Amino acid sequence: MGMVDAAGPMVSLARESFTLSITAATLLPFLGYLMFGVLSIPMGILQDKKGKVFI
């Protein structure tokens, strides 16, 4: 839930700091969620095969 709670302030902070449009600033948390979704399944499979200590 930390990422979800920080998404709102992160968008406004990124927009002000980097002079981004609202669309570009809103894409930042979306890309974070997307990468988590894409990487969580392969990492879970790898942990199942190799073990958590290896990862």
Side-chain angles (χ1 to χ4, degrees):
M1 290 301 294
M3 178 79 172
V4 175
D5 293 337
M10 186 174 69
V11 167
S12 62
L13 185 63
R15 187 171 180 214
E16 293 171 3
S17 297
F18 301 110
T19 59
L20 298 173
S21 68
I22 189 69
T23 305
T26 306
L27 281 176
L28 293 174
F30 172 72
L31 291 174
Y33 300 139
L34 183 67
M35 288 310 299
F36 175 76
V38 167
L39 293 176
S40 64
I41 293 172
M43 280 296 149
I45 292 170
L46 189 62
Q47 277 186 353
D48 189 41
K49 289 183 179 182
K50 296 282 188 176
K52 289 186 179 182
V53 175
F54 177 77
I55 302 301

